[in-house]
Amino acid sequence: TGNIEIGSDVDFYHYEGIGHLPNLAKVVGTHATSDNLCLIINGHLAAFAGKNHSSYTIPSSVRDIDSCVFTGCKMQSLTLHSNVSVWANAFYSANIDLITIPKGTFVSDSGFYICYGKAYIDTETIPGTSDDAYGPYECAFFSEVTIGPNVKYIGKSALCAPVIYCK
């Protein structure tokens, strides 16, 4: 397990510069949340110290969940808030028993690439794949997906063969 500290003079970083830290136990410094679990720089969730945490709700100050932030993360539950954007590979190889994705959440191509667990999705659309890009949930190995009442459209090949429940 380890810690990461980012000083107050950092105001920009490359969106792939900090991810891939599944054993991170604590975030400290100016950009750390008071619970020492999130590193947030200019609204970007850059790192998550979830090693010893079973459930979490993403803070409302987060606008973007950057690439690889939850790589290898294992949790019982994670709740996103509306108006957050999930970028490519943000949940790469994560195993989350239940992830809640509410209305107003944007998920980019491959946002949940190789993510395991169960999902409750209540976004207005669940985009599918195109010839030149993965869909947001393509290759997400959810064992179960519950579709919320706000979903109005599910695109072609949007989900990879999970068990789907509609509410």
Side-chain angles (χ1 to χ4, degrees):
T1 63
N3 299 336
I4 187 170
E5 182 169 354
I6 302 292
S8 61
D9 55 341
V10 173
D11 61 3
F12 176 80
Y13 76 102
H14 188 271
Y15 70 95
E16 289 184 344
I18 300 178
H20 297 284
L21 299 170
N23 293 318
L24 188 62
K26 186 177 182 181
V27 176
V28 295
T30 305
H31 300 287
T33 53
S34 60
D35 59 9
N36 297 111
L37 293 177
C38 294
L39 176 67
I40 303 170
I41 302 174
N42 296 330
H44 290 257
L45 179 57
F48 179 71
K51 171 111 175 107
N52 300 314
H53 216 72
S54 62
S55 70
Y56 196 70
T57 298
I58 300 297
S60 61
S61 60
V62 172
R63 290 187 326 264
D64 298 280
I65 299 175
D66 291 340
S67 293
C68 305
V69 168
F70 289 94
T71 294
C73 183
K74 294 182 172 126
M75 296 182 73
Q76 290 178 351
S77 69
L78 181 68
T79 301
L80 308 182
H81 63 80
S82 60
N83 302 317
V84 69
S85 295
V86 177
W87 296 105
N89 300 317
F91 289 88
Y92 180 79
S93 197
N95 191 335
I96 301 170
D97 292 345
L98 178 61
I99 185 161
T100 301
I101 306 161
K103 180 179 178 180
T105 302
F106 169 80
V107 182
S108 76
D109 292 345
S110 304
F112 288 92
Y113 187 73
I114 309 181
C115 181
Y116 298 88
K118 296 178 182 176
Y120 175 81
I121 303 173
D122 200 23
T123 57
E124 291 181 354
T125 64
I126 301 175
T129 60
S130 65
D131 291 337
D132 59 346
Y134 287 110
Y137 302 98
E138 186 172 4
C139 296
F141 297 109
F142 295 130
S143 61
E144 179 180 301
V145 174
T146 301
I147 305 296
N150 290 304
V151 175
K152 306 293 184 231
Y153 173 81
I154 300 175
K156 172 187 157 198
S157 301
L159 301 163
C160 284
V163 174
I164 298 176
Y165 296 94
C166 297
K167 284 201 169 193

